Amino acid sequence: MRQNQDNMKLKRVLTLVFTAFLFPFMANAQVTSSSITGIVKSDKGEPLEGASIKAIHTPSGTSYGTISRSGGNFTIPNMRVGGPYTITVTFVGYQPLEYKGINLQLGDATKLTPTLVSGAESLADVNVVMRKNSLISKSLTGTSISVDRTEMDLLPTITRNINDFARLSPIAQVRSSSTDGSPLGISFGGQSTRYNQFSIDGANSTDIFGLSSNGTNGGQAGINPIPFDAISQLQVILSPYDVTQGGFTGGGMNAVTRSGTNEMHGSAYGYYQDQSMVG
């Protein structure tokens, strides 16, 4: 009898220890998708419950849909980042409303305010105006910035490194060594570069051994932990007030990779240097 009680206590202790070690890994999941939220109203300002909202990812044909709830509120979560999307809002007795060319940012909910006009009335022109959220607003869960594929293709980068785009954040600063002036990495909010976290599609890819100066695998050798052309969007976030993000006290760099489309695409690059380029 005494031995059975001891075995029960041992099992309880092992269960508690296992849960304590497992919880940090469960709590450090990173955001890899986006979402669309909004309120559907009539032209008289009345909320419409039961309206149909359908979003189609144009390059791949992926379809998302939902129905507006009480008060006309709707949410489409876990959507692929990027775009463009074509969004159609319909309701019985009202003219359908269509949004085109909507692009979604990583970890940032795009808000729409569709206003449907009664089918008995005619409407000459419809102007759809979108407003991008400011860097700091009540709709965000922390100071963050997102860089999409278009900006990566247009902005210059010599080393084809994601750090070139992480520096676009006003909260980031490049730290250099005191001896030869070579860059040591990116510091966020004055924290050490070793307190940063880098994730790829939600998987932690941080240099856990602390050998890299910028906190990412491959940073010591000056290479990317992931091919530059494979990145779709990059999010840089500081002090997030969101339970889905954590595991860092500096800055969090969250990258998602590109997904397939119905069209064939490719890219190529090269490096060239000769004696005329050496000072």
Side-chain angles (χ1 to χ4, degrees):
M1 186 66 180
R2 178 67 178 178
Q3 185 176 2
N4 291 336
Q5 293 178 352
D6 292 340
N7 291 337
M8 291 293 292
K9 292 181 179 179
L10 180 60
K11 290 181 180 179
R12 292 177 181 176
V13 172
L14 292 177
T15 302
L16 291 175
V17 172
F18 179 79
T19 304
F21 278 99
L22 181 62
F23 180 78
F25 295 97
M26 296 174 60
N28 290 340
Q30 303 302 317
V31 176
T32 61
S33 60
S34 186
S35 60
I36 293 178
T37 63
I39 301 176
V40 182
K41 294 183 178 181
S42 67
D43 52 345
K44 298 180 180 179
E46 301 173 348
L48 298 178
E49 180 180 355
S52 176
I53 301 94
K54 184 177 181 180
I56 298 179
H57 185 253
T58 305
S60 64
T62 306
S63 178
Y64 305 85
T66 188
I67 301 296
S68 61
R69 306 182 302 274
S70 175
N73 295 278
F74 69 90
T75 302
I76 306 180
N78 301 323
M79 301 180 66
R80 295 172 58 168
V81 298
Y85 278 88
T86 299
I87 303 171
T88 305
V89 184
T90 58
F91 191 74
V92 178
Y94 289 82
Q95 298 181 7
L97 178 63
E98 186 176 73
Y99 296 85
K100 290 186 177 181
I102 303 297
N103 288 274
L104 306 184
Q105 298 292 332
L106 175 63
D108 187 10
T110 299
K111 292 188 176 182
L112 301 177
T113 55
T115 300
L116 301 184
V117 178
S118 176
E121 300 178 6
S122 60
L123 186 64
D125 297 320
V126 176
N127 295 324
V128 179
V129 179
M130 289 190 59
R131 180 184 301 174
K132 186 176 181 180
N133 292 332
S134 61
L135 184 62
I136 300 178
S137 69
K138 62 181 180 180
S139 61
L140 298 177
T141 56
T143 304
S144 64
I145 185 174
S146 296
V147 183
D148 58 21
R149 190 66 227 179
T150 302
E151 294 173 323
M152 292 184 183
D153 293 335
L154 295 178
L155 297 176
T157 171
I158 299 177
T159 60
R160 295 177 58 82
N161 195 300
I162 56 176
N163 288 337
D164 293 340
F165 301 97
R167 295 167 187 166
L168 296 176
S169 174
I171 58 178
Q173 58 180 347
V174 181
R175 301 183 61 184
S176 301
S177 64
S178 57
T179 55
D180 58 356
S182 59
L184 286 177
I186 298 180
S187 172
F188 295 91
Q191 292 283 357
S192 171
T193 57
R194 302 188 188 279
Y195 293 150
N196 299 337
Q197 184 186 75
F198 178 71
S199 63
I200 303 174
D201 291 335
N204 193 345
S205 185
T206 310
D207 177 22
I208 59 176
F209 294 103
L211 300 178
S212 171
S213 58
N214 60 2
T216 61
N217 290 321
Q220 190 74 9
I223 61 176
N224 270 323
I226 183 175
F228 177 79
D229 294 290
I231 299 176
S232 174
Q233 287 195 22
L234 173 68
Q235 180 192 40
V236 182
I237 190 167
L238 178 71
S239 62
Y241 300 98
D242 192 337
V243 295
T244 62
Q245 303 193 52
F248 57 91
T249 58
M253 292 180 287
N254 185 22
V256 293
T257 55
R258 304 171 71 176
S259 56
T261 65
N262 295 330
E263 299 179 356
M264 182 75 70
H265 296 277
S267 61
Y269 70 93
Y271 291 101
Y272 175 76
Q273 181 178 351
D274 59 23
Q275 62 273 14
S276 62
M277 297 183 179
V278 180

